[in-house]
Amino acid sequence: MQLLQSTIHNIQGVQKEMMEQAKMRIDTLCKPPGSLGKLESIAVQLAGITEQLVPSLEQKVMIVCAADHGVCEEGVTSNPQDVTLLQTLNFPKGGTGVCAIARITNTKVVTVDVGVKGDIPPDAGVIMQKIKYGTANMARGSAMSREEAIQSIEVGIHVAMEEIAQGATVLGTGEMGIGNTTPSAAILAVLTGCDPIDVTGFGAGVGQGGIVHKVAVIKKAIAINQPNPKDIIDVLAKVGGLEIGAMAGVILAAAAHRKPVVIDGFISTIAALIAYKLEPKVKDYMIPSHASEEPGAKMAAELLGIEPMLHMNMRLGEGSGAALAFPILDAACSMMKNMATLEETMKLEKPNNV
C-alpha cells in the first residue's frame, strides 16, 4: 500500500506553460493553422508531459501484464485457459501480434507474470511477479482480496519504475489473459450502472452460451459481490483481474515520473479508468491509441473523456493498438523538431543581396 500511496502522491499536473509554448510554435509553422489535426494536440500534450518543447521518445517500452481468470469456469470463453500460459511464453520469443508490430519501431516488449495459472520457467524471459495462480471465480465470490488488488497495482508500478530507471521515455499498456473481457465488462457496468448487455462483447471468442450467458455470469458476479462503485479498489478486487490492476499501476507510475503512456484497447482503457479513479491527474499523461471493436470500449473511453486516434477494427489486445500508435508520437516529435516556421522559410527563400 505504501508504494501505491507514494506513487499517487508524486503525480503532478502537466506543465501548462510548456504546452502554451508548444502551441505558439506550432501555430507559427509553415502550414495553415490546425491543419495537422491531432498531431498538433499530441505534440502539445507531449511538451506538457515531458517539460520539453521538442520531446524525444527514443526508448519505447510495451509492458504486457499476464494473468488468468477463475470466471472461465463459467464457460464465458471458447478459448482454453492454457492459452494464457502459452502466449505469455511466446512474448519473449517475439512471436505475438504486439511483438510483430513493436518490431517496426524498435519497441522493447516486457512480459510480466502477475497471475498466470501455471508455472513459468525461470529462463523464459518473463518478469516473475505472480500474486496467485489466477483470480478466483467472481461468479461465486470475490475475484481476489483487497490486499491482492492493491498488490496487483503495485506490481505494475514496480515494473514500470524499473523500466523508467533503465531509460524508458514512453510506455505502453498491454495484457494477456483468457477471459479478461468478462471482468472488464463487469468493472465498466459497475462504474456506469448500465446493463452489462450494453458493454459485453465476444472477446477473443465467446463460449457456447453466447453473449446472453456471458452477460448472465457478469450480472451474477455483481449481485453476489456487491462492489462499491465509489471504491475503485473494491471494484477491482471483487470483479476485476490481476493484469488489469497491474496495467493501472503502469499508468500511475508513468504519470508519477512524467512519462507519456499509450493506452491500448478495451481492457487497457478499463485499467486507465481504475488509475483515473485513484488519481484524476493521470488522464493528462494518457495517449489513447485505437478504438477497439469491443462494445464497451467506446463507453469506457467516453467515461474517461479520451478519444482514440486509430480506427482499425482491431480487438486483439496484447498492446497491439498501442504499439501501432507509437510512430504517430514520433511524427509529432519530428514535426516539432524538423518543420520550419513561416519566418524561417521566408529567410531561406529570400535572395542574398549582392
Side-chain angles (χ1 to χ4, degrees):
M1 186 67 176
Q2 185 176 357
L3 179 58
L4 175 57
Q5 290 176 337
S6 62
T7 300
I8 291 173
H9 177 75
N10 288 332
I11 296 172
Q12 304 298 319
V14 291
Q15 221 325 317
K16 299 292 186 181
E17 291 182 6
M18 187 59 71
M19 293 177 75
E20 284 298 321
Q21 289 183 38
K23 189 176 186 307
M24 288 174 62
R25 173 167 174 76
I26 291 169
D27 288 344
T28 64
L29 295 177
C30 194
K31 62 172 183 60
S35 59
L36 284 176
K38 290 184 180 179
L39 211 60
E40 298 184 17
S41 60
I42 291 170
V44 170
Q45 183 182 4
L46 290 174
I49 292 171
T50 64
E51 299 181 294
Q52 297 175 345
L53 187 62
V54 183
S56 176
L57 305 178
E58 292 181 359
Q59 294 193 42
K60 305 173 182 67
V61 178
M62 181 66 60
I63 299 178
V64 181
C65 303
D68 275 302
H69 298 266
V71 73
C72 287
E73 297 171 1
E74 302 296 321
V76 293
T77 176
S78 61
N79 292 289
Q81 199 164 25
D82 59 6
V83 171
T84 301
L85 175 60
L86 294 173
Q87 280 293 80
T88 301
L89 295 172
N90 200 13
F91 286 110
K93 298 174 183 177
T96 66
V98 68
C99 291
I101 298 170
R103 189 174 288 116
I104 65 169
T105 54
N106 198 30
T107 296
K108 176 183 178 183
V109 178
V110 173
T111 315
V112 188
D113 174 10
V114 192
V116 176
K117 190 179 180 181
D119 292 315
I120 306 286
D123 60 350
V126 176
I127 297 174
M128 304 303 297
Q129 294 285 336
K130 193 192 298 288
I131 296 170
K132 59 191 299 187
Y133 289 89
T135 55
N137 184 349
M138 68 179 190
R140 301 179 186 178
S142 183
M144 52 186 138
S145 68
R146 187 178 184 88
E147 291 73 22
E148 288 167 343
I150 293 169
Q151 192 178 349
S152 73
I153 298 172
E154 292 189 332
V155 164
I157 293 172
H158 174 74
V159 173
M161 286 175 60
E162 287 289 315
E163 293 303 321
I164 291 168
Q166 294 175 34
T169 51
V170 57
L171 302 178
T173 59
E175 42 66 38
M176 181 64 226
I178 294 301
N180 61 9
T181 57
T182 300
S184 296
I187 291 170
L188 186 57
V190 170
L191 293 180
T192 60
C194 73
D195 189 318
I197 191 67
D198 296 329
V199 293
T200 304
F202 285 90
V206 75
Q208 290 185 350
I211 294 292
V212 172
H213 174 65
K214 189 173 179 180
V215 168
V217 170
I218 292 171
K219 287 182 176 180
K220 181 181 178 182
I222 294 172
I224 288 174
N225 292 295
Q226 292 293 304
N228 180 2
K230 296 181 179 180
D231 181 353
I232 194 60
I233 300 293
D234 187 63
V235 177
L236 174 62
K238 289 179 175 176
V239 295
L242 294 159
E243 82 280 33
I244 298 172
M247 285 192 295
V250 169
I251 295 165
L252 289 166
H257 291 81
R258 305 197 71 87
K259 305 297 180 186
V261 55
V262 183
I263 310 300
D264 191 40
F266 178 43
I267 300 152
S268 288
T269 306
I270 296 301
L273 270 170
I274 293 170
Y276 175 79
K277 293 290 184 179
L278 289 168
E279 174 46 73
K281 288 194 290 290
V282 299
K283 178 182 169 182
D284 292 337
Y285 293 83
M286 300 176 189
I287 299 176
S289 60
H290 78 113
S292 168
E293 286 287 277
E294 281 294 300
K298 182 178 180 181
M299 184 181 293
E302 289 175 350
L303 185 61
L304 191 52
I306 59 176
E307 183 182 356
M309 67 180 91
L310 300 173
H311 294 262
M312 300 290 288
N313 303 116
M314 294 170 65
R315 55 184 179 88
L316 173 63
E318 299 181 3
S320 52
L324 196 62
F326 278 149
I328 297 176
L329 273 63
D330 285 337
C333 294
S334 182
M335 176 191 72
M336 294 298 287
K337 180 179 180 180
N338 298 310
M339 194 170 179
T341 65
L342 182 59
E343 183 180 354
E344 290 167 345
T345 302
M346 292 176 67
K347 286 181 179 178
L348 287 172
E349 294 181 353
K350 187 176 181 180
N352 295 324
N353 293 326
V354 179

